[in-house]
Amino acid sequence: MKNIDTYTHVRGESLYVDDIITRHDTLYGVVFDASKAHAVITSIDYSKAEALNGVVKIFTHQDIPGENQIGGIIADEPLFAEKEVHFWGQPIALIVAETELIARKARKLIEIAYEELPVIVTAREAKEKASLISPPRTFKMGDADRAFAACDFVYEGETFSNGQEHLYLESQGCYAFPLENGAIKIFSSTQGPTAVQRTTAKVLGVPMHKIEVEVIRLGGGFGGKEDQATPWSVMAGLAVHHLKKPVKFILNRHDDLRMTGKRHPYESSYKIGLNKDLKIVAYEAEFLQNAGAAADLSTAVAERTLFHATNSYFVPNVMATVYSCKTNLPPNTAFRGFGGPQGMFVIESAIAHAAREMQVRRDEIQQANLLNENDEFPYGQIARQVIARPSWTTAKEKFNFEKLREGVVDFNHKNDHFKKGISMMPICFGISFTNTPMNHARALVHIYQDGSVGVSTAAVEMGQGVNTKMLQVAQEVLGISANKVKLETTNTTRVANTSPSAASSTADLNGKAVEMACKSLKSRLSAVAASLLKVDITAISFHGDSVYVNGEKSGTSWEKVVSQAMLERVALSENAHYATPEIHFDKSKEKGHPFAYHVYGTAITTVTIDCIRGTYEVEEVKMAHDFGASMNMAVDVGQVEGGLAQGIGWMTMEEISYNKEGRLLSNALSTYKVPDIFSAPKKIETVAVATDGHEHAIKKSKAVGEPPLMYAIGTYFAIQEAVKSFNPNYHLKYDAPFTPEKVLMALYEK
């Protein structure tokens, strides 16, 4: 089945927040934000702005009837700054005016004075000053200290992986308007409708049932709208609460870049010990996560870094510690991979370091340490249905890795000014929210009198094709045509208490709930059909809008059975709840079974660098991916390729830059480079690893949103191989992204 949104996307008919028809009395919001990264506000004068014709009201913390607090995990983030600001871009006030242009003019008229305070920009400085969001956490297995003493080879080093801007095509935004009896409806561009509802209610001091949040779809999210879509909707809700008029609030790109958090930068160190058989005997890692000025989702992201610290490898002795460091940057947040990529980059760097020193190929160490069935992860979960080696073997044999490598060596021998590099990159990514209570979902399914079906879930469509998969589940279970099923918008009144669309779990959780609801409905209709046709219920099945008896078409239609069910007063609506079984995790012991299953895969990446200019091209990426039993290969391959491209951006060109005062320098598309058609791989090839899938995945079709991004880590090491072939004196560094500037310096390093 094609993605059901493609038709309206191509025709420009798909609706987003900014497309909603506004009421004639709609007002517009613009945020007045801090122009210092850390300071005490000594004075603010709003008088000139308030006097501007068309300005309706300027809202500050003093106008909040409930709590001035939007922190989700830790209550450490005010909606509006009060006496002190903690990052450049922190909201201080919301200007509401008759037009956005007037509100922006008013923002320039506000006069503010500060007493500046010391600014912390890097995670290392924060750790040195004991500026932490929360206490550090450590995952342990075996005895790393003792194991290192017995190793034949021990190497230590440091890495850095920078942040990444989400750069969703649709910026943060919302449209809120008053309903009767003090209720408010908010159309929000959010991955977490319930978070918006809950936080708005808390700030306004009203019950959650007074706040209705609706999401049509997002123009991209990538984690950036899981938590950070909330404040803008809350601000709009606050204005509606006071003014009793609709308020629209869409951030322009510059405001969005300045005020929102990114992927977390990590400053990390490692120690790796191996024996003569290339087995990794012991591994230590210390991750310094740059959380920004407030917790946001940083503690959860840090946790997932620990979960993925050893990637696809079995290491018997592990000590991994993460520090969530508090700095004066915008609170960093969820981003595709959610801490996993940062953890994987460190162990891949450690392996590259060891390979160089031991004078062996990097892929030899990788292959020697791949997970096997029943190996234990450092967090206590036993690896089941392990596809690490099958995916590695599939990639190596299907794409003839040895021949590709020989071609690279031959090319480099014949060329002086161009060099190629090649790498293999295995992945192992756990699927579930690591916070166990979040692993649940609900679905509400209505069968209407004419036989058409409406499906409501908590799944937010943001380009990943989840609505298509939900439609497939309903259609297949009920045995009806796809055109009979409609996927409704995501709404907190129809489906309440939702987990966000995140963690690559959206299709699994919501799909399982849809499946349960549809099975219940089908069971009732089967009883009606059996009575109608005077046969045993076990003989009834539905296919292609018809009723079948013992596999033979009966001549009775789906519509006739639905009509009969109405006459018999059979319930044609069902609300189902699904909670992932088996998973658990004890944070007091840092042990458990946090993931429903793991996704595996292996990528082979080939690059060519121009040794005169330092520029490079990704020639081809060949992936053997663990789709499980894919229910929609077109959608899934699209996710694999999109995730790869986004990961390549993170590893090669997307360089977030703040100055020492905490001001964002990469604040526009002229100063922040993302992959375009010219920087995408020239050739991408994806094959499915042979597997039956996993029972906890919807229709055994494994999650596909986040895992492919980490294939791109291989791009970094392929470029590094190419640099080494030109300059044998290049001292290995693990500083991502590997921009052309860094490549040029490495090529001529003495």
Side-chain angles (χ1 to χ4, degrees):
M1 180 184 292
K2 290 182 179 179
N3 187 318
I4 60 175
D5 278 342
T6 54
Y7 181 79
T8 52
H9 283 353
V10 171
R11 293 167 60 88
E13 296 173 355
S14 297
L15 297 177
Y16 300 85
V17 170
D18 205 21
D19 298 312
I20 297 170
I21 297 174
T22 55
R23 277 177 26 178
H24 68 91
D25 56 345
T26 295
L27 303 173
Y28 297 84
V30 167
V31 167
F32 172 66
D33 58 300
S35 54
K36 300 292 179 184
H38 193 199
V40 173
I41 300 171
T42 56
S43 66
I44 306 181
D45 185 356
Y46 295 108
S47 59
K48 292 179 182 178
E50 290 171 328
L52 184 66
N53 187 37
V55 171
V56 178
K57 184 171 175 59
I58 298 177
F59 293 93
T60 70
H61 67 91
Q62 295 176 329
D63 297 296
I64 292 175
E67 300 178 45
N68 182 27
Q69 183 54 243
I70 60 171
I73 298 176
I74 300 174
D76 66 347
E77 185 177 0
L79 178 67
F80 293 124
E82 297 185 20
K83 295 180 180 179
E84 192 171 319
V85 296
H86 295 276
F87 64 91
W88 201 304
Q90 183 173 1
I92 297 173
L94 176 69
I95 305 161
V96 177
E98 292 174 359
T99 68
E100 183 180 345
L101 180 60
I102 293 172
R104 292 195 175 279
K105 286 182 177 179
R107 180 163 68 176
K108 295 178 181 179
L109 298 176
I110 297 173
E111 298 175 356
I112 186 169
Y114 302 96
E115 178 185 325
E116 295 190 49
L117 299 172
V119 174
I120 300 175
V121 176
T122 69
R124 191 164 300 282
E125 183 184 358
K127 188 199 172 191
E128 290 170 355
K129 294 182 177 179
S131 178
L132 301 177
I133 291 290
S134 61
R137 291 179 64 182
T138 299
F139 283 9
K140 298 179 183 178
M141 187 168 72
D143 188 337
D145 288 337
R146 181 176 295 179
F148 277 118
C151 289
D152 297 308
F153 308 96
V154 177
Y155 306 104
E156 298 182 58
E158 296 182 347
T159 74
F160 175 73
S161 59
N162 209 330
Q164 186 177 19
E165 168 59 42
H166 300 87
L167 211 72
Y168 22 67
L169 287 177
E170 177 200 29
S171 63
Q172 302 278 10
C174 59
Y175 180 45
F177 55 86
L179 303 175
E180 60 184 9
N181 299 318
I184 297 172
K185 183 166 184 175
I186 303 173
F187 285 92
S188 176
S189 181
T190 179
Q191 294 172 235
T194 292
V196 171
Q197 180 192 29
R198 180 179 62 246
T199 310
T200 303
K202 180 173 70 173
V203 171
L204 299 186
V206 300
M208 285 176 67
H209 72 249
K210 289 285 188 181
I211 308 298
E212 177 185 352
V213 178
E214 180 150 333
V215 183
I216 304 171
R217 63 170 57 80
L218 310 185
F222 312 116
K225 295 177 180 176
E226 180 176 345
D227 205 57
Q228 298 215 349
T230 300
W232 326 112
S233 294
V234 175
M235 291 177 199
L238 175 67
V240 171
H241 177 79
H242 283 284
L243 300 174
K244 313 302 180 190
K245 288 187 176 183
V247 174
K248 188 173 183 179
F249 185 14
I250 309 289
L251 271 66
N252 71 17
R253 185 61 65 185
H254 290 287
D255 286 355
D256 196 307
L257 290 169
R258 182 177 67 256
M259 297 179 191
T260 62
K262 326 296 181 192
R263 184 189 293 280
H264 294 78
Y266 273 59
E267 298 171 71
S268 305
S269 58
Y270 60 81
K271 182 178 180 181
I272 188 169
L274 303 91
N275 64 21
K276 293 177 181 178
D277 296 327
L278 305 185
K279 289 287 189 179
I280 303 172
V281 177
Y283 178 64
E284 280 187 10
E286 181 182 83
F287 305 100
L288 304 185
Q289 177 202 63
N290 192 327
D296 193 272
L297 296 170
S298 293
T299 54
V301 172
E303 180 180 67
R304 193 171 279 262
T305 296
L306 294 178
F307 281 124
H308 293 86
T310 54
N311 191 14
S312 295
Y313 312 112
F314 172 67
V315 183
N317 302 283
V318 177
M319 171 84 75
T321 301
V322 64
Y323 291 82
S324 194
C325 302
K326 184 174 183 177
T327 63
N328 297 114
L329 301 183
N332 287 312
T333 192
F335 201 125
R336 198 175 194 168
F338 205 81
Q342 293 96 318
M344 291 186 189
F345 179 68
V346 177
I347 193 166
E348 294 298 334
S349 297
I351 289 172
H353 183 169
R356 176 63 181 257
E357 296 297 327
M358 296 169 69
Q359 297 185 354
V360 298
R361 286 175 16 187
R362 180 170 157 269
D363 61 278
E364 292 176 322
I365 297 178
Q366 291 173 307
Q367 182 171 334
N369 292 279
L370 291 170
L371 283 159
N372 291 308
E373 192 73 11
N374 298 321
D375 280 343
E376 183 178 348
F377 291 101
Y379 46 88
Q381 183 164 343
I382 303 302
R384 309 288 192 203
Q385 299 184 31
V386 179
I387 312 174
R389 291 189 183 277
S391 71
W392 179 276
T393 302
T394 299
K396 203 167 186 179
E397 294 179 355
K398 175 74 175 179
F399 302 124
N400 201 340
F401 174 72
E402 294 303 331
K403 184 176 180 181
L404 291 173
R405 187 169 188 87
E406 289 171 8
V408 167
V409 173
D410 183 60
F411 179 91
N412 290 343
H413 180 72
K414 295 177 180 177
N415 290 273
D416 293 329
H417 299 305
F418 290 90
K419 296 293 182 181
K420 287 186 181 291
I422 191 169
S423 74
M424 292 191 74
M425 178 64 199
I427 63 165
C428 170
F429 193 80
I431 303 299
S432 285
F433 287 100
T434 54
N435 182 18
T436 302
M438 295 177 69
N439 291 281
H440 65 100
R442 275 157 302 288
L444 175 63
V445 179
H446 297 309
I447 299 176
Y448 295 101
Q449 296 179 39
D450 64 353
S452 61
V453 176
V455 177
S456 294
T457 74
V460 173
E461 176 60 57
M462 47 188 160
Q464 82 280 42
V466 70
N467 279 354
T468 303
K469 290 187 174 182
M470 296 305 98
L471 188 151
Q472 283 184 258
V473 172
Q475 172 210 352
E476 290 174 15
V477 173
L478 295 175
I480 58 177
S481 303
N483 60 15
K484 281 186 166 59
V485 183
K486 176 191 177 189
L487 262 293
E488 306 288 354
T489 57
T490 308
N491 183 285
T492 56
T493 298
R494 289 196 302 274
V495 179
N497 303 320
T498 64
S499 293
S501 291
S504 299
S505 297
T506 308
D508 283 349
L509 295 175
N510 292 278
K512 290 280 191 179
V514 171
E515 185 177 53
M516 291 169 65
C518 290
K519 283 182 176 179
S520 294
L521 290 166
K522 185 173 74 171
S523 177
R524 292 174 208 160
L525 291 175
S526 294
V528 172
S531 175
L532 191 65
L533 296 171
K534 296 180 171 47
V535 297
D536 190 87
I537 191 172
T538 58
I540 296 295
S541 60
F542 294 91
H543 305 286
D545 303 325
S546 297
V547 181
Y548 283 69
V549 177
N550 293 321
E552 298 291 330
K553 195 170 184 178
S554 68
T556 299
S557 68
W558 161 265
E559 288 84 356
K560 185 174 181 179
V561 176
V562 171
S563 179
Q564 183 64 28
M566 283 293 299
L567 294 175
E568 296 180 15
R569 298 180 294 176
V570 173
L572 293 179
S573 292
E574 182 64 26
N575 185 9
H577 177 266
Y578 174 76
T580 310
E582 299 180 13
I583 58 174
H584 59 88
F585 193 73
D586 186 343
K587 292 185 180 181
S588 67
K589 299 177 181 177
E590 303 290 23
K591 297 291 181 182
H593 185 103
F595 298 115
Y597 59 87
H598 291 80
V599 172
Y600 297 87
T602 300
I604 300 172
T605 302
T606 306
V607 303
T608 303
I609 61 173
D610 180 333
C611 300
I612 302 298
R613 299 175 178 85
T615 57
Y616 45 79
E617 291 185 335
V618 181
E619 297 290 342
E620 55 185 7
V621 181
K622 299 174 179 290
M623 294 167 284
H625 187 74
D626 169 23
F627 292 99
S630 175
M631 63 185 293
N632 193 316
M633 189 58 78
V635 168
D636 287 348
V637 170
Q639 285 293 288
V640 168
E641 294 180 356
L644 171 70
Q646 196 166 46
I648 288 174
W650 174 56
M651 280 281 99
T652 65
M653 65 181 66
E654 296 186 45
E655 191 159 36
I656 298 286
S657 179
Y658 290 90
N659 66 13
K660 62 182 180 179
E661 285 81 35
R663 181 177 182 177
L664 181 67
L665 301 179
S666 50
N667 61 351
L669 294 182
S670 59
T671 52
Y672 185 76
K673 176 65 175 171
V674 296
D676 56 20
I677 191 64
F678 300 106
S679 51
K682 289 183 177 179
K683 182 180 180 181
I684 299 176
E685 189 173 353
T686 307
V687 298
V689 180
T691 170
D692 294 331
H694 198 284
E695 61 180 358
H696 293 333
I698 181 63
K699 300 287 187 182
K700 295 191 175 182
S701 178
K702 284 191 173 183
V704 75
E706 291 172 287
L709 182 136
M710 281 148 279
Y711 288 135
I713 294 173
T715 307
Y716 182 98
F717 294 100
I719 295 172
Q720 194 175 68
E721 288 290 326
V723 170
K724 281 161 50 182
S725 68
F726 179 81
N727 180 11
N729 296 319
Y730 166 59
H731 180 71
L732 292 183
K733 300 177 185 65
Y734 308 102
D735 184 338
F738 211 165
T739 62
E741 292 86 352
K742 292 177 186 175
V743 169
L744 188 61
M745 293 175 69
L747 287 167
Y748 296 96
E749 179 181 274
K750 295 182 179 179

